[in-house]
Amino acid sequence: APCALDPVIEASVRSLHAWLSENNARVTFQASGGVAVFSDNDHLKEVVKNLVENAVKFNPKPVKSVSIWVEASEDQAIIRVQDDGPGIPPEEQDKVFSMFHQIEASFTGQVEGWGLGLPYVKKVVEAQGGKVELQSKLGEGTTVSVVLPRRS
C-alpha cells in the first residue's frame, strides 16, 4: 500500500524513545517532505527500528549519534541511517546480512544479540523490490541505505 516515509520513521524512533534515552543516544531525523513508497507499513517500521538499534548498540561512545534522512528521485526513495560508531571491518561488511552472523566479540565489545536484525532488514527490503547498501569506514561510522522503488 502507499506508505509515507516520514510518519513511519518518526513512529519507529518514537517507539525506541525510552531505550535510546537509557543508551545515551540521540537520533536526528530530517523529514523528507512527503516522500512515499509502496510498502508494508509495519515491516518498514521494524526495518528502521532494527537499523537504529544496531547503530546504537554497537557504538561504544558515551553519547551515540544517529542521523536519518530520505533521498528521493522519481523512481526510488532511499532511507539512510548513519551512525558515528566504530565502523565495520571491510572483511565483515558482506557477512553482516547473513543470519546469525556477528562480528568478533573483541571488536564489538561482546554485544548481545542473535545476528538476525540485518538479515531481517535485507529480507523485508528485497521482498518489497528494494535493496540494502552499506558503507562503512573504521573509526568513522556506518551508513546503511534502504533503497525502495516508488511505484504507483
Side-chain angles (χ1 to χ4, degrees):
C3 176
L5 294 180
D6 289 351
V8 166
I9 295 167
E10 289 164 352
S12 298
V13 173
R14 192 171 41 253
S15 73
L16 293 169
H17 179 74
W19 183 83
L20 291 167
S21 183
E22 288 170 17
N23 286 279
N24 235 5
R26 290 190 215 124
V27 176
T28 56
F29 170 53
Q30 183 178 347
S32 71
V35 174
V37 296
F38 277 79
S39 178
D40 179 298
N41 191 42
D42 292 332
H43 280 296
L44 195 53
K45 281 181 190 173
E46 291 301 314
V47 162
V48 173
K49 280 177 61 175
N50 270 286
L51 294 176
V52 171
E53 287 172 339
N54 273 0
V56 170
K57 151 167 105 163
F58 293 102
N59 188 340
K61 291 184 176 176
V63 177
K64 298 125 177 80
S65 294
V66 179
S67 298
I68 306 171
W69 69 96
V70 175
E71 298 172 5
S73 67
E74 192 172 311
D75 60 341
Q76 68 182 18
I78 305 169
I79 302 168
R80 299 203 193 271
V81 179
Q82 182 179 56
D83 66 55
D84 67 342
I88 300 170
E91 66 275 10
E92 297 286 339
Q93 292 181 14
D94 289 336
K95 298 175 189 174
V96 296
F97 293 102
S98 300
M99 286 181 60
F100 306 114
H101 180 78
Q102 289 194 308
I103 298 173
E104 286 295 318
S106 61
F107 186 80
T108 64
Q110 297 185 341
V111 174
E112 289 189 32
W114 289 90
L116 295 173
L118 289 178
Y120 169 82
V121 166
K122 184 177 183 202
K123 195 67 116 172
V124 167
V125 171
E126 288 177 350
Q128 296 179 45
K131 63 182 176 179
V132 180
E133 299 171 343
L134 182 140
Q135 290 130 355
S136 188
K137 287 188 178 182
L138 289 178
E140 294 183 24
T142 301
T143 302
V144 178
S145 302
V146 172
V147 183
L148 294 167
R150 294 183 73 187
R151 299 185 292 258
S152 55

